[in-house]
Amino acid sequence: MARPRPEPAQVVKQRRDAALAALVTGVPYAQFLGIGFDRRGDELTGVLHFDDKLIGNPILPAIHGGVTAAFLEMTAIITLSWTFVLPAIDAREIDPARMQAGDLPRLPKTIDFTVNYLRPGLPRDAYARAIVSRSGRRYATVRVEAWQDHRDKPFAQAAGHFLMPPQDSKGG
Amino acid sequence: MDKVKFAQQFIAAIPHARALGMELTELGEGRAVIAMPYDEKLIGEPKTGVISGGAVSAVMDTCCGAAVMSHPAAPGATATIDLRIDYMRAANPGQTIVATATCYHITRSVAFVRATAVDDDTDRPVAAATGAFTVGQS
């Protein structure tokens, strides 16, 4: 039985990276805050690029608590979306070119989100990773942690619940 | 300088509050009201134009902090210890978000705050928040 030749790894990688870029650049608020994502296989790391407009305490100075919360929540939403977007991309059910043209999958909706502030966010880049504790057909539970210079000294952590988009609205 | 004027200038001096167009409309005795006009840069769901939960978090956090600072028993600066936000419904695109925060209890070390956010449909809150904030040396 003849099997189709597997695609070159580079083609698969390009398609995945294009889809992730389209997903993130499609969210105006992520663009406004300067949030991007690094991808290593299926693992995503949110990157908050520092800018003076993110300051909440000009005396320290420190990043605004609302920015920290938004960064953690965006990392949770994109990481959660990636759990259903990546398989759809790999299965060729979603076309990254159509995503780039604005045909984006619906994002999960936040039900509640709790942020613990552990230390001030310093005026420099920040990173975050989310772990999907449980993802069902309707609800998902996600925890997320953000750090700056030292991975083992997070400056904020959060946990939240999300309403998953209906399965038939993957888009693309 | 009176406390209200001081707090208004303090809010105006927060670069991120300015970047989001926040305006402190009421302040005093542990209560604060902040308005944040709709803007396309705040959109979190591109398909509907609904603003991001993160933007609601930012106005809630700022409003809660302002309420703590305005409390007669608070010596000044404060920092968020934790903040939980419940998102009850999507905010209507195009409408200003108005957050109202109340510091309902304060000790020497901790201030406890509740807040709600509404859009033009003031009978149905968009989000509710509850949090703890530092008092004095953080």
Side-chain angles (χ1 to χ4, degrees):
Chain A
M1 202 165 77
R3 263 192 300 184
R5 267 177 86 85
E7 283 184 296
Q10 201 56 29
V11 173
V12 175
K13 183 177 186 298
Q14 273 176 7
R15 192 162 57 228
R16 290 173 176 174
D17 286 341
L20 179 60
L23 191 64
V24 177
T25 55
V27 182
Y29 195 56
Q31 295 310 296
F32 170 66
L33 292 179
I35 296 173
F37 282 84
D38 281 347
R39 185 182 69 82
R40 297 287 180 273
D42 67 347
E43 183 194 64
L44 300 184
T45 305
V47 181
L48 176 70
H49 299 282
F50 179 75
D51 187 278
D52 283 337
K53 72 169 182 284
L54 306 182
I55 291 290
N57 182 330
I59 296 156
L60 285 176
I63 291 177
H64 195 287
V67 172
T68 301
F71 176 46
L72 290 164
E73 192 182 328
M74 197 65 75
T75 302
I77 287 174
I78 297 296
T79 302
L80 190 55
S81 301
W82 196 240
T83 64
F84 60 84
V85 171
L86 178 60
I89 288 291
D90 286 349
R92 311 295 297 270
E93 293 164 15
I94 299 181
D95 178 5
R98 285 191 59 186
M99 284 177 70
Q100 274 159 349
D103 189 5
L104 294 162
R106 287 295 278 254
L107 300 174
K109 288 182 189 167
T110 315
I111 299 168
D112 61 63
F113 202 69
T114 306
V115 182
N116 289 315
Y117 294 90
L118 307 174
R119 37 176 75 80
L122 303 171
R124 61 191 68 161
D125 290 359
Y127 315 98
R129 262 183 221 144
I131 291 170
V132 179
S133 306
R134 192 251 176 190
S135 176
R137 197 171 52 84
R138 292 173 71 201
Y139 307 107
T141 304
V142 182
R143 56 205 159 91
V144 50
E145 198 164 76
W147 72 96
Q148 292 185 304
D149 296 339
H150 300 283
R151 177 68 184 89
D152 56 353
K153 285 184 182 162
F155 72 100
Q157 55 188 198
H161 296 96
F162 297 85
L163 197 59
M164 297 298 276
Q167 296 292 318
D168 58 344
S169 70
K170 277 175 179 170
Chain B
M1 191 178 355
D2 68 88
K3 213 168 176 177
V4 173
K5 202 168 176 187
F6 169 79
Q8 277 174 345
Q9 287 187 0
F10 184 83
I11 293 283
I14 299 172
H16 193 62
R18 215 166 46 225
L20 294 185
M22 288 184 207
E23 197 191 333
L24 188 78
T25 56
E26 278 179 54
L27 186 76
E29 307 290 311
R31 187 174 177 275
V33 181
I34 295 182
M36 180 176 71
Y38 182 80
D39 192 296
E40 285 183 357
K41 68 179 180 241
L42 305 179
I43 292 172
E45 173 54 88
K47 284 223 159 155
T48 57
V50 170
I51 68 164
S52 173
V56 177
S57 295
V59 70
M60 289 290 225
D61 185 64
T62 309
C63 195
C64 289
V68 173
M69 284 178 53
S70 78
H71 197 284
T78 182
T80 317
I81 298 171
D82 90 318
L83 190 68
R84 173 191 163 117
I85 302 191
D86 294 331
Y87 296 95
M88 284 119 82
R89 67 172 173 91
N92 292 322
Q95 299 181 359
T96 295
I97 298 293
V98 177
T100 303
T102 308
C103 175
Y104 63 91
H105 187 77
I106 191 164
T107 74
R108 272 174 299 175
S109 313
V110 188
F112 298 89
V113 190
R114 272 193 288 261
T116 56
V118 296
D119 55 19
D120 291 357
D121 184 359
T122 55
D123 291 338
R124 298 165 56 237
V126 166
T130 170
F133 286 71
T134 63
V135 174
Q137 287 280 314
S138 54

